[in-house]
Amino acid sequence: MRKAKGFTFRNFFNKPSVGPSKKPRPFKAYSFVPFSPLAMLDPTILTIGGIILGIAIIERILERWGVIDLVDQFAKVMRFILPVTFYGALFYFFATFMF
């Protein structure tokens, strides 16, 4: 029969820790917010936005100059281009963003 090793409560708690008894297992952490707002600073998105903003500013300038016929033509074209550009940029953003 083996003899059990005895130790006191004080000696048990004063011993330096050797290390964790179990190895920590790596785990995957998932975020409920899948993207950062800084990801919108993509050069392609900024270029498309700048072009659309530039066309809108040109349209306002032409309106002040009184060239209403040209402004109407811009409005007809932009009525189609703006939604297509918006959804295209949105699709591009989600297609190229790494989650």
Side-chain angles (χ1 to χ4, degrees):
M1 189 178 220
R2 282 178 159 184
K3 183 177 181 183
K5 185 176 179 183
F7 49 86
T8 64
F9 184 75
R10 183 171 292 177
N11 288 341
F12 178 75
F13 277 103
N14 284 338
K15 247 193 322 187
S17 176
V18 177
S21 59
K22 286 183 167 182
K23 288 184 179 180
R25 291 187 298 166
F27 64 96
K28 293 182 179 179
Y30 296 99
S31 173
F32 291 109
V33 181
F35 58 88
S36 168
L38 295 177
M40 293 298 286
L41 295 177
D42 182 38
T44 307
I45 300 292
L46 290 177
T47 303
I48 292 170
I51 291 170
I52 298 298
L53 186 62
I55 291 172
I57 290 172
I58 290 171
E59 186 179 352
R60 292 295 170 201
I61 290 171
L62 289 174
E63 186 179 6
R64 285 189 184 188
W65 287 352
V67 191
I68 302 301
D69 294 336
L70 196 54
V71 172
D72 286 339
Q73 293 299 324
F74 264 106
K76 286 178 186 175
V77 171
M78 293 304 286
R79 191 174 298 139
F80 173 74
I81 289 179
L82 281 176
V84 170
T85 306
F86 172 74
Y87 288 117
L90 194 65
F91 177 76
Y92 170 80
F93 174 72
F94 284 114
T96 60
F97 184 72
M98 297 295 196
F99 285 98

